[in-house]
Amino acid sequence: MLSQKTRYTIRALQHLSDTFGQGPVRLDAIAEAQNIPRKFLTVILSEMAREGIVVSHRGREGGYELALPPVDIRYGDIIRLTRGSLALTPCASRNAHETCNNCLPEAECRLRGLMLQLRDEMAAMLDRITLADPITLEPPFDDQAAQAAQ
């Protein structure tokens, strides 16, 4: 699962992508539109500014805007910046590899093989999709279908 921080970051950057080229967007406008706590959003956007993803403008007409065109910001990069890894298990991480506790030796673990395949496929997909790409909205799951799936 994506962390709450990662989800907030993606939503904030999507919002800034929607207004790209229109000037800075006030923090309060992003927080309200994306239902992100203001204090948390301040931290997130400061981190994204340090990474060169957003630019902060001070003053009465200030706010935040993307430092790069949306087409140059990939979802895989956003997740790596906020979560650190795309892997679902520590042993499948390409950048932050750790041996799993209470597991088989890595050379004998089929779960690790599966998680490496999944991580690589997911990385390829997330590295293809940018903030400029349209994302299809999906209707919410209906309660009966959700209960039947459980």
Side-chain angles (χ1 to χ4, degrees), residues 17 34 49 58 63 78 86 88-89 95 97 104 127 130:
S17 175
Q34 297 301 320
R58 296 183 183 269
I78 298 167
L86 297 175
L88 296 178
T89 58
N95 299 321
H97 176 267
L104 298 171
D127 288 338
T130 71

Side-chain angles (χ1 to χ4, degrees), residues 79-89 92-96 119:
I79 293 169
R80 285 182 195 94
L81 285 172
T82 57
R83 189 169 181 254
S85 174
L86 297 175
L88 296 178
T89 58
S93 177
R94 298 277 186 208
N95 299 321
R119 183 249 167 249

Side-chain angles (χ1 to χ4, degrees), residues 7-43:
R7 289 181 282 165
Y8 283 160
T9 302
I10 289 171
R11 291 194 339 238
L13 294 177
Q14 286 173 331
H15 188 89
L16 292 176
S17 175
D18 292 343
T19 61
F20 184 71
Q22 300 173 21
V25 180
R26 300 197 58 79
L27 182 101
D28 289 336
I30 301 168
E32 184 176 331
Q34 297 301 320
N35 194 27
I36 302 172
R38 191 179 190 287
K39 283 186 176 187
F40 207 170
L41 184 58
T42 301
V43 171

